[in-house]
Amino acid sequence: MTIEMEELLPIILYLALIVFVITLIVLVIKLIGTLGRVDKVLDDVNSKMTRVDGLFDVIDRVTDYATSISDKVISGLANAVHFVFGKLKKGNEKDE
């Protein structure tokens, strides 16, 4: 009653294959559960981002308005300085 290698090797390979297939089935089932939880988390994050998106839109509009006003103020000040120094320069040229 000796089992030869030719008979033992296929038995070992079949057992290893059965263990491997069972392990893969268990891992796939756990992966499906994990993907379900990840999907719920992504949906939650997406809904929160849509709520915050309106706030960011308001902030963007306010900063654009503030930038527009500051550009106009700076342009006005630059024109005033140019006007004052332009008059002084023209006055100095007439004196000479």
Side-chain angles (χ1 to χ4, degrees):
M1 294 239 7
T2 62
I3 299 177
E4 293 184 24
M5 287 300 281
E6 293 174 359
E7 296 173 1
L8 184 62
L9 187 59
I11 293 173
I12 293 174
L13 287 176
Y14 288 135
L15 287 175
L17 184 63
I18 290 170
V19 169
F20 181 69
V21 168
I22 291 172
T23 305
L24 280 178
I25 290 171
V26 169
L27 288 176
V28 167
I29 290 171
K30 287 189 176 193
L31 181 65
I32 290 171
T34 302
L35 287 177
R37 286 181 291 202
V38 168
D39 191 37
K40 287 179 185 177
V41 169
L42 287 177
D43 287 341
D44 187 45
V45 168
N46 193 18
S47 68
K48 288 180 182 178
M49 284 303 297
T50 55
R51 289 184 208 151
V52 176
D53 193 33
L55 177 66
F56 286 140
D57 190 36
V58 169
I59 291 171
D60 188 41
R61 288 181 186 169
V62 168
T63 56
D64 288 345
Y65 183 72
T67 302
S68 173
I69 290 175
S70 67
D71 286 345
K72 289 178 183 177
V73 168
I74 290 173
S75 176
L77 289 173
N79 287 336
V81 168
H82 180 66
F83 178 75
V84 168
F85 284 115
K87 290 252 185 193
L88 289 175
K89 188 175 181 182
K90 286 181 184 177
N92 287 341
E93 288 175 0
K94 288 181 182 177
D95 290 342
E96 293 175 1

